[in-house]
Amino acid sequence: MDEASAHAEPSPIRRQRAVEVFRNRFGTLFNDEVISPSGTEGRYLRWQWSGGGVVIVPVGPEGFAFVPTYRYSIGGVSLEFPRGGCEADEDPAVAAARELREETGFDCAPSALRPLGVIHADTGLIESGVHVFAAEVGSTGSAGARPVAEPEAMESVAEPVWASRTEVVKWLQSGSVTCGVTLAALALAIADGSGTGSGPPM
């Protein structure tokens, strides 16, 4: 048993009945009937994505590339790594390469993506896991000018912003990056040793 798992485990909250309350093409919301370890009956919300999620950490000589993304739910712009969902029966690496291209214009073959692990965006609500990949890209692409991003109709993104590890630390200290998925993916990337380029001062 490793150090991370050497701890007492709490008793599970058990699902008595799955209760679907909403569904669309993206996923399903449940308001399950559950029973707590004490025997108390209650309800628990659970969101299940239709397909698995992916998040891509673009890395290169300049460090990490973040995408300024307008998020309707918070009413503002969020600095994030490109992310999205898998289509039906789509391999996560293929989905990751597609999302990277759509949101940044960067091209990276699925076979060239480096898997970093799986994260859960919100363990209190979202059931589905998110596959994390690192993508080695250049600030201008591999063949000159980088293609223009082509996000989905309901997405609003700006040009990627490069930041060195030093600059990223400053962003974290100032609260400039608040997306939980991005923060978790960044932690895996740093543990992996990605984004070691010094980059220019910003």
Side-chain angles (χ1 to χ4, degrees):
M1 179 178 293
D2 59 33
E3 184 177 348
S5 60
H7 54 72
E9 294 190 2
S11 300
I13 298 172
R14 301 189 183 280
R15 185 180 307 153
Q16 299 295 92
R17 186 169 72 94
V19 182
E20 180 180 322
V21 294
F22 174 79
R23 177 192 294 264
N24 62 16
R25 70 185 183 91
F26 299 108
T28 306
L29 179 66
F30 296 88
N31 189 22
D32 293 340
E33 296 177 359
V34 301
I35 185 166
S36 73
S38 67
T40 303
E41 296 181 349
R43 293 277 189 163
Y44 226 113
L45 285 174
R46 172 174 57 95
W47 176 260
Q48 181 185 77
W49 290 106
S50 297
V54 293
V55 56
I56 311 90
V57 182
V59 296
E62 297 174 77
F64 300 101
F66 293 79
V67 179
T69 305
Y70 186 89
R71 291 300 185 188
Y72 173 79
S73 58
I74 64 173
V77 175
S78 174
L79 285 170
E80 303 182 4
F81 291 137
R83 60 188 174 99
C86 301
E87 303 292 343
D89 301 319
E90 185 178 31
D91 182 88
V94 173
R98 173 176 53 75
E99 290 291 344
L100 176 68
R101 184 172 58 255
E102 288 177 358
E103 296 189 12
T104 68
F106 292 129
D107 274 316
C108 186
S111 59
L113 293 169
R114 187 166 67 256
L116 300 181
V118 176
I119 62 176
H120 287 87
D122 184 345
T123 55
L125 176 63
I126 303 174
E127 172 184 319
S128 311
V130 178
H131 294 265
V132 184
F133 296 91
E136 295 284 346
V137 299
S139 59
T140 58
S142 58
R146 177 175 52 82
V148 177
E150 297 182 355
E152 295 181 3
M154 293 304 293
E155 290 181 314
S156 177
V157 300
E159 288 287 307
V161 177
W162 285 91
S164 68
R165 281 195 177 206
T166 300
E167 188 63 29
V168 168
V169 170
K170 294 179 181 177
W171 285 0
L172 297 179
Q173 291 172 337
S174 66
S176 298
V177 181
T178 62
C179 169
V181 172
T182 295
L183 291 170
L186 178 63
L188 289 180
I190 290 175
D192 176 69
S194 302
T196 56
S198 59
M202 297 181 64

